[in-house]
Amino acid sequence: MSKVKSLSVGEGDMFYIKHGSDNFSIIDCFLCDENKVGIVNELNSESNNKGIKRFISTHPDEDHIQQLDYLDDNMPIWNFYVVNNNVKKDDETSGFKRYCTLRDGDKAYHISKGCRRKWMNMDDEERGSSGINILWPNLDNKFFKEALKSANEGGSPNNISPIITYSIRDGAEFQWMGDLETEFMENIKDDVDFSKVNILFAPHHGRDSGKIPQSMLADLNPDIIIIGEAPVENLNYYKGYNTITQNSAGDITFVNDGKEIHIY
């Protein structure tokens, strides 16, 4: 059995995957004083019997790394998956400082399109893979190079976000796209190998500024789109698709029992 949970943390992102194999993954961090103890206790409890634990950072904006230091202090991060970058900020929060320490240290693993790693997407005799694959970024793509240069020079890091899939063996496929923006996605759509997904987390918290282009949606053909917790006036509701809006749903949990995905 595996579990994917999208935590309701306000105008930020935080997810975890309790894999059916000996893996546990966290994607992004948005903790506050009111929720951090409960969330980190849950993460420690859910990952208690897992041998491999990884943290995947989509990009270093505060709504994706807030109080990362608290998480690391109370659930030490040994595998930090990140797109290689040199982003700096004038206003360095405690979360960003810890992000830089992890990004620039020996715990970092740089992710890019098609990368292979034991036990991210490679099995061996010791344990199975997590089922995670990275569809983007292509480090040679000119639009990515421009986005990375801009982010390193103080611009928005939204468009250095990776595209991540999690596939359950003989089961559902989930996809995350960080905070990619619509125009950028239009520019790179022919350089990403999309296929059908069952659960798609809308980029940029479901904002209209991160609306997935229709040509991409046609390839992805999602069964359900999860719309994040951005302000209502900024949301795109993906008319014509089945959606769950986290503003009203709260925490969303997907449990695979080997036959079906149950959504709570």
Side-chain angles (χ1 to χ4, degrees), residues 54-67:
R54 65 179 62 80
F55 183 93
I56 305 173
S57 175
T58 61
H59 65 294
D61 270 341
E62 190 66 12
D63 54 347
H64 295 257
I65 57 169
Q66 182 169 287
Q67 295 205 32

Side-chain angles (χ1 to χ4, degrees), residues 23-60:
N23 284 259
F24 188 86
S25 303
I26 303 169
I27 301 175
D28 286 338
C29 177
F30 189 70
L31 299 173
C32 63
D33 291 342
E34 291 73 27
N35 69 16
K36 64 186 182 183
V37 174
I39 288 177
V40 173
N41 284 346
E42 179 178 350
L43 293 171
N44 274 310
S45 176
E46 291 288 334
S47 66
N48 184 51
N49 65 344
K50 298 298 185 181
I52 295 295
K53 303 172 189 179
R54 65 179 62 80
F55 183 93
I56 305 173
S57 175
T58 61
H59 65 294

